[in-house]
Amino acid sequence: MEIPSISGLYELVIAATAESESVLIQYWQQFGFTVGESGTLNAKGANQLYGINSGLRSLRLYNQVTDRSLLRLMIWEKAINEGLGLTPLKAVGSRWGTSLSLDVFNIANHAEDAIAAGLPVYYVPPQRNLINRSESFEPFIQANPCVHEMVLIQPLTRQVLFERHDYTIPNSGIVNQDSHFKGSEFVHVGLIVECEHEKLDFYDQVLGLHRAVNNCESKYDEASRRILELKGPENGEQMLNYYFTAPLPSTTEQPKIRSGNIEVFRFEGSLPNKLSYSRPGCLGVCLYTMKVRHIESYHQRVSSSEATEVTQVYENEFGEKSFSFVAPDGYFWTLLE
């Protein structure tokens, strides 16, 4: 069986200050994450790999799954800016993690109480999306597959949370039942781009990800409009959807849906550009990483592509071979082995 050489999402990375570190750890523990290994880089090493002339200490957090969909906290001695902050999802440079919860309405209650207390929160209440419902659906008789999906943005965190009803996907959203909010790993992460369609070829043709959804016009149902604040095509706004997953092993078995995917929304129109607030050194959600085999081969492929700011291969704060680059769509990435 051929083993895929790239993981899909390995880590969602959040940068924080030393003062906010303990609060942030406590927050993610409520969603089921546990602190694992730690590591450091001096200013020279951080500048070589991430382009930031500052000392760095990082923590890696896990939630049930240990080979993908992890969370890394970067603690910089000197951050370069405040990051995305309370910017809504619909902005170029916007990043977020999407997770399953068995208790979305409890999270919503906390969000509403936080807003009432004057805390900085951007919040979209749970919206219901139907899943392949037939026109002949009979309430109380047939299964009613749907999700309730909500947005929760705080100065250092950007989350979409959803709860499934009447259906399950075993390898996509493995919930930590002992956590307060009964949360899972990141099922997928999101990107908002405003670039030519061809720029996104980089993700499958260079990195080798599998393109599961390609240039698909997204449906403008009420839930989608609320979550992403869509105006709709009648106002000249078009949104297209792409979905990238890790390549599957060469096998005759039925492929399994799993977490760690990358969802890209491409807008045709003018959006706020926040890319300079969405890269290492910025506070909050600032980076995604992917794990690869034969990193030198990947470095050669990326260096020969339209990617820019390609670093050499260095050891990261965990002692892993790594290199960074800016993809043709403008997003900063790090690959590690």
Side-chain angles (χ1 to χ4, degrees):
M1 179 176 68
E2 181 184 351
I3 300 173
S5 57
I6 190 164
S7 66
L9 175 76
Y10 186 61
E11 298 163 307
L12 178 149
V13 181
I14 293 176
T17 62
E19 293 74 21
S20 60
E21 175 186 352
S22 60
V23 173
L24 201 54
I25 290 172
Q26 185 179 21
Y27 176 84
W28 284 102
Q29 286 174 336
Q30 308 311 304
F31 291 89
F33 284 84
T34 300
V35 177
E37 61 196 308
S38 63
T40 61
L41 276 181
N42 61 25
K44 178 182 177 181
N47 197 34
Q48 288 174 327
L49 186 56
Y50 303 117
I52 304 300
N53 187 24
S54 168
L56 170 66
R57 179 169 52 86
S58 291
L59 304 171
R60 186 171 274 157
L61 285 71
Y62 306 82
N63 189 347
Q64 306 301 291
V65 178
T66 59
D67 65 340
R68 62 189 187 277
S69 303
L70 310 182
L71 174 65
R72 188 197 301 192
L73 300 185
M74 283 181 160
I75 316 299
W76 294 99
E77 291 179 2
K78 295 180 292 184
I80 59 174
N81 62 44
E82 70 277 13
L84 293 166
L86 299 185
T87 301
L89 295 186
K90 198 181 72 174
V92 178
S94 180
R95 304 177 186 256
W96 65 90
T98 299
S99 301
L100 175 68
S101 168
L102 302 185
D103 208 356
V104 158
F105 286 94
N106 187 22
I107 301 171
N109 289 339
H110 280 262
E112 291 170 5
D113 288 340
I115 292 170
L119 297 178
V121 174
Y122 180 89
Y123 165 64
V124 178
Q127 308 292 310
R128 188 169 71 141
N129 266 320
L130 303 178
I131 309 294
N132 298 325
R133 175 186 284 184
S134 68
E135 295 182 1
S136 59
F137 169 72
E138 297 181 63
F140 304 108
I141 304 299
Q142 294 176 288
N144 187 14
C146 62
V147 298
H148 276 93
E149 189 174 22
M150 62 173 281
V151 175
L152 178 59
I153 297 176
Q154 300 174 79
L156 297 179
T157 61
R158 299 173 64 81
Q159 297 165 271
V160 173
L161 297 140
F162 70 98
E163 183 173 356
R164 293 179 178 130
H165 305 281
D166 268 358
Y167 79 104
T168 60
I169 302 178
N171 295 305
S172 177
I174 302 173
V175 168
N176 185 337
Q177 296 278 0
D178 295 328
S179 62
H180 181 71
F181 292 126
K182 295 180 171 51
S184 77
E185 80 283 8
F186 299 110
V187 173
H188 56 257
V189 293
L191 296 174
I192 299 284
V193 302
E194 188 182 46
C195 63
E196 298 87 352
H197 168 76
E198 291 75 18
K199 296 287 186 185
L200 300 178
D201 292 346
F202 174 83
Y203 291 107
D204 52 342
Q205 295 182 13
V206 176
L207 296 184
L209 295 172
H210 171 65
R211 192 184 296 222
V213 176
N214 177 41
N215 205 32
C216 176
E217 186 171 354
S218 297
K219 296 179 180 179
Y220 286 85
D221 56 29
E222 184 62 31
S224 296
R225 283 197 295 271
R226 291 292 305 278
I227 291 294
L228 283 166
E229 296 187 298
L230 302 177
K231 297 176 183 177
E234 67 276 5
N235 291 297
E237 182 178 71
Q238 185 180 25
M239 184 182 77
L240 302 168
N241 182 234
Y242 305 74
Y243 202 76
F244 296 94
T245 69
L248 294 165
S250 298
T251 176
T252 56
E253 296 179 8
Q254 183 71 21
K256 295 179 179 178
I257 298 174
R258 50 180 269 162
S259 58
N261 305 312
I262 300 158
E263 188 165 25
V264 179
F265 296 97
R266 182 170 70 91
F267 279 79
E268 296 183 349
S270 180
L271 296 179
N273 191 312
K274 296 287 186 176
L275 282 167
S276 61
Y277 296 88
S278 178
R279 55 184 293 156
C282 307
L283 294 178
V285 182
C286 58
L287 175 66
Y288 301 143
T289 74
M290 289 185 279
K291 197 168 189 178
V292 300
R293 298 167 62 240
H294 310 304
I295 195 165
E296 288 81 6
S297 173
Y298 269 92
H299 186 264
Q300 183 177 7
R301 289 159 61 179
V302 172
S303 298
S304 301
S305 73
E306 293 183 16
T308 60
E309 300 183 38
V310 184
T311 73
Q312 296 300 312
V313 176
Y314 299 107
E315 284 195 358
N316 69 6
E317 56 268 44
F318 301 110
E320 301 157 332
K321 288 184 177 181
S322 305
F323 74 94
S324 298
F325 58 89
V326 174
D329 60 14
Y331 278 88
F332 193 107
W333 289 85
T334 297
L335 302 186
L336 60 93
E337 185 176 63

